[in-house]
Amino acid sequence: MKRDSRLSGVLHVLLHMAEHRHPVTSEALAKAMTTNPVVIRRIMAGLRDQGYVQSEKGHGGGWSIACDLSKVTLRDIYHALGDPSLLAMGNRTEAPGCLVEQSVNAALSKAFDDAEAFLLARFGEVTLAALSADFHRRMLARGGASHDLETIHAS
Amino acid sequence: MKRDSRLSGVLHVLLHMAEHRHPVTSEALAKAMTTNPVVIRRIMAGLRDQGYVQSEKGHGGGWSIACDLSKVTLRDIYHALGDPSLLAMGNRTEAPGCLVEQSVNAALSKAFDDAEAFLLARFGEVTLAALSADFHRRMLARGGASHDLETIHAS
DNA sequence: ATATCATGAAACATATGAAGTTACATGAAA
DNA sequence: TTTCATGTAACTTCATATGTTTCATGATAT
């Protein structure tokens, strides 16, 4: 299965935005992500609706953080993306008449549901602030280079 | 993401086969699964290679169980299918130069890897015999109807 | 022998959804 | 009023599970 990388992408964007005082345009973010500005706007739409980020039009416009990074977890961001599928596997039929398939579904569903709950719980343990802090640690370890988005991505 | 239902499908097939003494044809299995015989052969190929089932050509041919159901787990079957993706999500880039993305990847990869290990562990706890036993319990609860594949799926 | 049955495998079609792209309307700032 | 940036719709592209057709291979029954 082709993997959904929206969560990965949106986190990347958020952490870059956190390094900027001023709004960052979709175009600048897209360049850093090697993608298209519309893709950025698309994955940011849900976060804007939830108030995690805000967008401004016109000169000096762009995206900026609108929340306390220490209060928002990966799970919150996941929900803001619209709860995309976590698992690549699923049951063949949801409400089968066949008793065999009911047994199979029961066993698999339990495992699937538990795995999803497990993953969501993990997401809930990680705040955006923790991610950002980890980034700053890596930055220092590498020699404390610039926080600038373009500089980071130039390497 | 569209979900992969091969594991679900192959388990359904195996449990039906377990109810038959004689080989079951791909066509009969396909009819029960409302799919195509070639699809059956395709998902069974890996299991045959691993020796969990065997196939015979010609009159009276078809598929039959070739293993001890109490010794084979869902995890074994999963591997026989070729280790398909378990998670629908993944990192945007595997080996990013960007330190921000490295932080994101590190956090997500840990959660993803743990969730996969969790799910595989669950699979490893369930034997085919346990699934079959669960089916028989459901059968008795419903009044102990026929084990016949066609009868089961006629309902 | 040969007709029939069943698998094995290749080739192709279909469907779904993420990702990428284009185009244009909306609205804010210089 | 020109420029910039987002908002949104529509479209293309791509990957992959699933479905289908076709024919070769081999086993069994008559």
Side-chain angles (χ1 to χ4, degrees), chain A:
Chain A
M1 301 288 292
K2 189 163 66 174
R3 285 184 158 175
D4 180 346
S5 65
R6 279 175 294 182
L7 180 60
S8 172
V10 79
L11 292 174
H12 188 176
V13 166
L14 285 171
L15 260 61
H16 273 302
M17 285 167 54
E19 301 300 319
H20 289 251
R21 293 180 188 174
H22 299 297
V24 190
T25 66
S26 301
E27 191 178 347
L29 292 169
K31 185 166 289 185
M33 307 273 291
T34 322
T35 181
N36 195 289
V38 177
V39 174
I40 301 293
R41 293 184 196 127
R42 190 185 288 156
I43 63 177
M44 297 293 276
L47 277 69
R48 182 190 55 222
D49 295 344
Q50 297 299 314
Y52 298 134
V53 299
Q54 60 188 15
S55 59
E56 294 164 286
K57 292 180 175 179
H59 279 89
W63 299 88
S64 47
I65 302 281
C67 65
D68 181 346
L69 294 186
S70 67
K71 297 228 180 337
V72 179
T73 68
L74 303 198
R75 181 169 186 159
D76 296 323
I77 302 302
Y78 166 77
H79 286 132
L81 289 177
D83 296 335
S85 293
L86 290 172
L87 299 184
M89 310 187 68
N91 290 323
R92 227 173 51 86
T93 308
E94 276 317 310
C98 172
L99 286 180
V100 167
E101 186 141 27
Q102 286 178 21
S103 290
V104 172
N105 277 8
L108 288 180
S109 291
K110 185 71 169 65
F112 290 154
D113 291 350
D114 288 352
E116 287 194 337
F118 177 93
L119 190 50
L120 282 182
R122 281 301 186 84
F123 284 170
E125 292 168 3
V126 183
T127 65
L128 296 181
L131 272 191
S132 185
D134 181 68
F135 160 62
H136 285 111
R137 273 193 296 276
R138 289 170 190 265
M139 186 72 95
L140 287 174
R142 192 193 246 193
S146 165
H147 287 191
D148 183 67
L149 189 154
E150 289 74 21
T151 307
I152 292 173
H153 276 273
S155 57

